Amino acid sequence: KQEVTQIPAALSVPEGENLVLNCSFTDSAIYNLQWFRQDPGKGLTSLLLIQSSQREQTSGRLNASLDKSSGRSTLYIAASQPGDSATYLCAVTNAGGTSYGKLTFGQGTILTVHP
Amino acid sequence: NAGVTQTPKFRVLKTGQSMTLLCAQDMNHEYMYWYRQDPGMGLRLIHYSVGEGTTAKGEVPDGYNVSRLKKQNFLLGLESAAPSQTSVYFCASRWDRVHEQYFGPGTRLTVT
């Protein structure tokens, strides 16, 4: 059974810092990995999707990497801002005939960026 | 293009009452999903559908039923609500396993 772990559970940084969020998964048979952002009381916003054949994806100040063989992904946030404060979730789409695109989620990292 | 929408946004039920949550997507996606999110438990899959007229059980299906009569709609029903079903419910959809999964804004349900 796929298990996804995110470290750290919470992170507090001053504005302007570069930071890294970590995600690991136990079964490397995945189609892709997706990073989400969730603001309090809101839904999930997709940030980046990395296919299993890719090593990294970039969107603005965000860069996500994937090492499928070792079961790891990182989300790098450059020059953090208070508006980046949110919970960040990673999720994998498992390969296999019966997966049907279901996502397995980590527990999330709560990020606080203080001015 | 509204993406994924959910109705209602909030609801309070008494134990034993029934209700239906509606999810709609306008992206012509084949796959649709219902998740629940609980503190300390993360997001867990309740039911899913891989096309119009199909449904299947996820990790935590007990106490819920679903229907997908139209491709754009996925309904989640609670026949006899229990306090353990107090949660935030999210609907999601995607084109296929390779593309992104998109989420709705959620429904906050409280069962007293």
Side-chain angles (χ1 to χ4, degrees), chain B residues 73-94:
Chain B
N73 296 337
F74 195 28
L75 278 63
L76 179 70
L78 287 73
E79 289 186 348
S80 180
S84 61
Q85 294 177 305
T86 293
S87 186
V88 181
Y89 292 86
F90 289 103
C91 177
S93 71
R94 71 193 306 177

Side-chain angles (χ1 to χ4, degrees), chain A residues 13-80:
Chain A
V13 300
E15 181 177 5
E17 267 202 14
N18 302 323
L19 57 98
V20 174
L21 307 181
N22 297 291
C23 173
S24 62
F25 47 95
T26 56
D27 185 350
S28 62
I30 63 169
Y31 279 108
N32 47 56
L33 183 145
Q34 200 167 348
W35 281 95
F36 294 90
R37 167 189 173 133
Q38 185 175 29
D39 293 292
K42 303 293 186 183
L44 280 69
T45 300
S46 179
L47 298 174
L48 289 164
L49 173 74
I50 313 180
Q51 302 296 344
S52 61
S53 59
Q54 297 177 318
R55 296 288 292 182
E56 65 178 60
Q57 280 284 354
T58 298
S59 176
R61 292 184 294 109
L62 304 179
N63 177 278
S65 68
L66 175 65
D67 184 344
K68 196 179 82 159
S69 60
S70 68
R72 295 179 189 277
S73 176
T74 61
L75 180 66
Y76 175 83
I77 302 177
S80 59

Side-chain angles (χ1 to χ4, degrees), chain B residues 18 47-48 52 54 65 75 84 88-89 92 95 99 103 105 110:
Chain B
S18 64
H47 284 282
Y48 63 97
E52 182 178 314
T54 75
N65 57 75
L75 278 63
S84 61
V88 181
Y89 292 86
W95 183 253
H99 291 81
F103 280 74
T110 302

Side-chain angles (χ1 to χ4, degrees), chain B residues 1-111:
Chain B
N1 190 336
V4 181
T5 58
Q6 293 182 233
T7 309
K9 288 185 170 52
F10 303 93
R11 186 72 186 268
V12 178
L13 287 179
K14 294 187 187 303
T15 297
Q17 287 184 321
S18 64
M19 78 164 294
T20 300
L21 282 67
L22 171 64
C23 174
Q25 52 92 6
D26 61 1
M27 297 172 280
N28 203 33
H29 287 169
E30 290 291 340
Y31 295 179
M32 296 187 74
Y33 310 85
W34 277 106
Y35 296 87
R36 59 178 288 174
Q37 186 176 36
D38 303 289
M41 303 294 290
L43 279 134
R44 294 177 292 169
L45 182 67
I46 306 171
H47 284 282
Y48 63 97
S49 168
V50 299
E52 182 178 314
T54 75
T55 63
K57 295 179 181 179
E59 300 173 63
V60 288
D62 294 342
Y64 305 95
N65 57 75
V66 288
S67 64
R68 182 115 181 256
L69 299 179
K70 293 183 180 181
K71 187 176 184 179
Q72 64 267 35
N73 296 337
F74 195 28
L75 278 63
L76 179 70
L78 287 73
E79 289 186 348
S80 180
S84 61
Q85 294 177 305
T86 293
S87 186
V88 181
Y89 292 86
F90 289 103
C91 177
S93 71
R94 71 193 306 177
W95 183 253
D96 57 22
R97 303 171 206 192
V98 175
H99 291 81
E100 284 178 279
Q101 189 161 138
Y102 294 93
F103 280 74
T107 295
R108 188 173 296 275
L109 175 66
T110 302
V111 183

